[in-house]
Amino acid sequence: MREIIDMACTACKQRNYSTTKNKKNDPDRLERNKFCKFCRKHQPHKEVK
């Protein structure tokens, strides 16, 4: 049930992180506050395909 997803910065649109999620427990897209090395600060990152 776990699927590999990429996380992209909402400010600069760079794909910085990859992680896994359980599609059964989290059917909608994830959004987490993570550090963006391109922006050099913490930004919200959203799940992209």
Side-chain angles (χ1 to χ4, degrees):
M1 283 308 284
R2 294 195 78 77
E3 182 179 295
I4 298 171
I5 58 167
D6 289 329
M7 304 287 282
C9 179
T10 55
C12 66
K13 308 295 189 236
Q14 293 282 335
R15 293 182 181 206
N16 301 328
Y17 295 95
S18 65
T19 185
T20 61
K21 77 167 189 174
N22 189 334
K23 290 197 76 163
K24 192 177 197 180
N25 295 340
D26 298 311
D28 47 339
R29 292 182 183 247
L30 290 178
E31 183 172 349
R32 298 283 186 259
N33 214 14
K34 294 187 154 296
F35 183 78
C36 178
K37 61 184 177 181
F38 301 101
C39 299
R40 301 183 69 88
K41 56 184 172 180
H42 282 82
Q43 298 281 21
H45 283 64
K46 285 188 177 179
E47 173 188 344
V48 292
K49 280 286 179 179

